[in-house]
Amino acid sequence: MDIDWITVSAQIINFLILVWLLKRFLYQPIISAMDQREQRIAEQIGEAEIRERKADEAAAQYHEKARMLELQRDEIMAETHRHAVQQKKQLLDEAREEVDEVREHWHRQVQLEKAEFLDDLRCQMSNVLQKIARNALTDLADEVLEERIIQAFLNQLTALDDESRQRLLHAADTSEPVRVISTFTLDTSTRRHITQMIHTHLKEGMVVEYDESPEWLCGVVLNVGEHQLGWNLAKYLEQLNEQFEQVLVTTATVSPSTSAKKLFSNDLHTKG
Amino acid sequence: MTINPDEMVFWQWGILSINATIVFTWLVMAVLTLISWLVTRRLTSGPDMSRWQNLLEVLVTGMRDQIKEISHQQPGKYLPFVGTLFLFIAMANLLNVVPGYMAPTGSLSTTTALAICVFVAVPLYGVMSEGPVSYLSHYIRPTVLMLPFNIIGEISRTIALAVRLYGNIMSGTVIVAILLSLTPYFFPVIMQLLGLLTGMIQAYIFAILAMVYIASATSTQAGHQ
């Protein structure tokens, strides 16, 4: 338990030297290295935060852009849809118009053909009837057909009732001379006889003019203004013509409409 | 058999002598300095570091944390002193496993020298931290009557520091010596291991107590902070 004071002082010096040595070679380098590392880590964390912030901003920008693109896409889609609907409607309208035109054209064609057919028929019928009537009259009697026609005309004039007579006289007041129109040539004695009969049954001293009109087919007619009196084959033919027309119209109104419907549906299928 | 390394003299000239205490102290100093120099020669501040650097960083960080925990102050100015106390005592005791080595801490001269260092360091740190008047006024608190007791307390705790370390280390050596004569072979090895543990604990206790004394001297300043 003795203390060597020289050793003690030497140990104190040794310890102080050791403190300096360790401070120089251990504590300072280690601490500075750790400080540098901490600083570097702090810098890296700072940089990472900056990068993260930038990345977040970039991501937000991209999200915004994507949203805008989506909106634009929706708008374009809506516009396209609207356009397509409009175009479809337009095409349908055009198709309908076209079908209407075709139907109208077809209808006109039918009407035209019908009119031509009726004209043709009327012409043929009148010829046939005239021929038949002529042959029949020739076969039935010895008088020629014109004489029978004139007789029929004179019979009508004789059998005229008061009301018709007054109407004819009233018409004759405004449009004298009266005209006797025949489809054949009347000889002078016949003309005189007719004039005399007119004077007798209508009015004495009435001026009478004679005229020929081959398009009336066959007959003799007294023309006073708008009123007519007499026998005329054309009248029968007109009646026949009207009946024909009625029959044709009844058959034509059924077939063209069904044909037009078929045409219209075919046209729609090909366009759709 | 020599128990006190002071008595093993290698060289003497007059009153100046170089005994085993001084020689083995130099050895411990050399080992510590060499290891520190070798490791800190190639320090890196990046994530890749050597195992030795990692070890030293753990050591230094642990000591700093302990100092901070006890003093509640920044450890920077206390680390060289307290840390060196711990490392020197720990290394001196650790080398006990080397045959022929005698721990310098087993000499009362060494422990006295370290205790004197603490004895001087405490008022030095106190004066540096608080100023001379404020520090010295601690001795007359709570009354002037307490001045002798405070001084006796300072001295007695210094002596206690020295004797505690000396007694523990020297006793380990003595026990091993006695056991060697009684039960050779295995049992002294176990005691040697126990001695290592005791040595580490003593190093920790010495350094912690030194830090506690310093912290108590500078606590007023720290309390103000």
Side-chain angles (χ1 to χ4, degrees):
Chain A
M1 280 287 287
D2 53 341
I3 297 170
D4 183 2
W5 289 104
I6 292 174
T7 309
V8 169
S9 48
Q11 289 294 73
I12 290 172
I13 293 165
N14 282 338
F15 179 73
L16 292 178
I17 291 169
L18 183 64
V19 168
W20 181 82
L21 283 173
L22 287 186
K23 191 178 177 184
R24 166 74 181 77
F25 289 110
L26 182 64
Y27 305 126
Q28 279 179 351
I30 291 284
I31 288 172
S32 67
M34 288 195 297
D35 287 347
Q36 279 178 12
R37 184 181 302 122
E38 281 178 10
Q39 193 179 350
R40 183 180 294 181
I41 289 169
E43 284 173 3
Q44 285 174 350
I45 288 174
E47 288 173 4
E49 281 175 356
I50 291 170
R51 277 202 296 272
E52 193 181 352
R53 202 163 54 243
K54 283 182 181 172
D56 285 345
E57 286 172 4
Q61 283 179 357
Y62 283 125
H63 281 310
E64 181 64 23
K65 275 184 187 172
R67 201 175 63 81
M68 293 297 292
L69 283 174
E70 207 165 326
L71 280 177
Q72 284 179 0
R73 192 195 65 186
D74 288 348
E75 280 178 11
I76 290 169
M77 288 289 286
E79 180 69 26
T80 311
H81 185 254
R82 206 160 47 238
H83 189 67
V85 167
Q86 198 175 348
Q87 200 163 12
K88 183 184 168 190
K89 190 172 174 294
Q90 191 181 342
L91 285 172
L92 277 174
D93 288 346
E94 282 177 9
R96 280 200 193 95
E97 282 174 10
E98 205 170 324
V99 168
D100 286 346
E101 273 180 20
V102 168
R103 187 167 57 179
E104 189 67 27
H105 180 255
W106 186 83
H107 202 66
R108 274 202 306 274
Q109 196 76 25
V110 167
Q111 291 290 341
L112 203 64
E113 282 177 5
K114 191 177 81 180
E116 283 176 1
F117 173 69
L118 286 176
D119 279 350
D120 195 26
L121 191 69
R122 190 164 54 226
C123 198
Q124 286 183 16
M125 288 295 291
S126 69
N127 288 336
V128 169
L129 272 176
Q130 203 171 357
K131 199 178 283 179
I132 290 169
R134 195 181 299 267
N135 289 339
L137 286 173
T138 311
D139 290 345
L140 284 171
D142 296 334
E143 299 96 340
V144 289
L145 183 59
E146 283 85 1
E147 284 176 359
R148 293 299 302 161
I149 290 170
I150 291 164
Q151 192 57 51
F153 167 68
L154 291 176
N155 288 343
Q156 281 190 13
L157 190 62
T158 310
L160 201 62
D161 58 350
D162 281 346
E163 191 185 344
S164 301
R165 189 164 165 272
Q166 285 302 321
R167 201 166 54 235
L168 285 174
L169 286 173
H170 182 70
D173 287 342
T174 54
S175 60
E176 214 170 338
V178 295
R179 297 162 65 88
V180 174
I181 301 165
S182 62
T183 55
F184 47 87
T185 311
L186 300 172
D187 55 9
T188 314
S189 63
T190 310
R191 286 187 181 186
R192 196 180 304 133
H193 181 61
I194 289 171
T195 305
Q196 193 180 351
M197 288 298 284
I198 288 171
H199 286 171
T200 307
H201 292 283
L202 284 177
K203 187 182 174 185
E204 196 66 36
M206 186 180 269
V207 181
V208 179
E209 285 184 358
Y210 290 89
D211 204 354
E212 279 184 32
S213 177
E215 70 263 16
W216 283 25
L217 301 174
C218 185
V220 175
V221 171
L222 172 67
N223 219 355
V224 186
E226 293 175 347
H227 300 279
Q228 287 183 342
L229 179 72
W231 189 91
N232 181 12
L233 187 60
K235 199 160 67 180
Y236 295 101
L237 284 176
E238 275 175 11
Q239 285 175 2
L240 185 68
N241 199 15
E242 280 174 7
Q243 285 180 357
F244 267 122
E245 271 189 26
Q246 275 181 358
V247 172
L248 284 171
V249 162
T250 313
T251 51
T253 47
V254 176
S255 52
S257 60
T258 47
S259 304
K261 275 178 187 170
K262 277 181 187 172
L263 187 65
F264 182 69
S265 64
N266 285 336
D267 203 25
L268 272 184
H269 280 304
T270 47
K271 292 207 173 188
Chain B
M1 180 186 170
T2 309
I3 296 173
N4 189 351
D6 286 0
E7 294 169 4
M8 190 188 284
V9 177
F10 293 113
W11 180 82
Q12 187 154 20
W13 185 65
I15 57 164
L16 294 176
S17 64
I18 294 176
N19 50 37
T21 307
I22 294 171
V23 170
F24 288 127
T25 298
W26 286 346
L27 178 70
V28 170
M29 286 167 67
V31 168
L32 284 175
T33 308
L34 195 67
I35 291 172
S36 300
W37 177 70
L38 284 175
V39 174
T40 57
R41 210 169 35 152
R42 288 189 296 269
L43 281 181
T44 59
S45 57
D48 298 326
M49 63 172 99
S50 64
R51 294 175 183 178
W52 285 98
Q53 183 184 345
N54 202 356
L55 173 72
L56 289 193
E57 283 190 6
V58 168
L59 206 61
V60 170
T61 311
M63 291 192 296
R64 278 159 62 100
D65 289 345
Q66 285 287 330
I67 292 170
K68 195 186 278 184
E69 201 174 307
I70 292 165
S71 67
H72 302 293
Q73 297 174 46
Q74 284 302 312
K77 58 184 176 183
Y78 307 119
L79 179 66
F81 182 72
V82 179
T84 306
L85 275 177
F86 174 74
L87 289 177
F88 174 70
I89 297 169
M91 184 55 75
N93 296 341
L94 197 66
L95 288 176
N96 247 340
V97 294
V98 178
Y101 172 82
M102 293 176 78
T105 43
S107 153
L108 192 60
S109 305
T110 306
T111 57
T112 305
L114 295 178
I116 288 170
C117 287
V118 175
F119 181 75
V120 175
V122 169
L124 273 180
Y125 276 118
V127 169
M128 273 166 58
S129 174
E130 302 181 22
V133 178
S134 173
Y135 172 73
L136 290 175
S137 66
H138 284 195
Y139 288 97
I140 54 170
R141 281 178 190 166
T143 61
V144 184
L145 289 174
M146 294 298 288
L147 178 65
F149 301 105
N150 280 331
I151 292 170
I152 290 169
E154 286 284 319
I155 294 169
S156 65
R157 77 186 186 191
T158 306
I159 294 170
L161 263 184
V163 172
R164 184 189 301 112
L165 180 60
Y166 161 73
N168 275 288
I169 305 306
M170 185 270 290
S171 65
T173 314
V174 171
I175 286 169
V176 169
I178 293 168
L179 284 175
L180 271 177
S181 60
L182 293 177
T183 56
Y185 305 118
F186 300 110
F187 198 63
V189 175
I190 297 168
M191 293 313 294
Q192 195 85 316
L193 288 172
L194 190 68
L196 281 180
L197 181 67
T198 313
M200 295 310 286
I201 290 169
Q202 287 308 313
Y204 179 72
I205 287 172
F206 198 100
I208 288 293
L209 282 176
M211 191 58 235
V212 168
Y213 299 152
I214 293 169
S216 69
T218 58
S219 61
T220 315
Q221 180 76 9
H224 286 312
Q225 283 175 351

